[in-house]
Amino acid sequence: MQQQQTRPSMKVEAKLFLARYKRDDKSHLVILDNQKCLKCKNKPCIIVCPAEVYHWEDDRLIVSYDNCVECGSCRIVCPYANIQFSYPRWGKGIGYRYG
Ligand code: SF4
Ligand code: SF4
């Protein structure tokens, strides 16, 4: 009987290391109104993002858009529909090398 081989699991950080990113000059993530972020209680965009794109600093949301893996989760969880998400322009953004 043939024994089934299992692949060792990888952490998200290790998987992200395998991706390549071609930076666009223009951010594909736009915060529409920082006043809404100020009153946003748990700031779920920071919690949900797997790539640590969002940070809260000096009463404003910092967006490191060039880390984005384009999963779209932040847009879905924002209670104020305050994130304008579009895919980076052609040929830019994330590229997955191993599926
Ligand atoms: S979830 Fe939306 S409103 Fe809240 S901090 Fe993030 S972008 Fe701002
Ligand atoms: S699309 Fe995904 S990876 Fe990009 S900022 Fe939103 S949650 Fe983070």
Side-chain angles (χ1 to χ4, degrees), residues 15-81:
K15 286 184 177 177
L16 289 174
F17 186 72
L18 294 173
R20 67 116 189 99
Y21 196 92
K22 205 167 179 185
R23 192 176 191 277
D24 197 348
D25 305 335
K26 186 172 166 248
S27 177
H28 64 289
L29 297 164
V30 177
I31 305 304
L32 299 171
D33 182 357
N34 195 60
Q35 293 303 312
K36 289 180 179 164
C37 297
L38 279 167
K39 61 183 175 187
C40 179
K41 218 173 176 189
N42 298 320
K43 305 193 183 359
C45 61
I46 296 174
I47 298 165
V48 81
C49 179
E52 299 183 358
V53 167
Y54 299 104
H55 295 97
W56 189 252
E57 206 177 295
D58 299 330
D59 282 343
R60 56 176 297 141
L61 194 63
I62 308 295
V63 184
S64 305
Y65 70 93
D66 46 356
N67 289 341
C68 177
V69 296
E70 300 164 27
C71 70
S73 309
C74 54
R75 188 177 56 140
I76 293 167
V77 298
C78 177
Y80 296 97

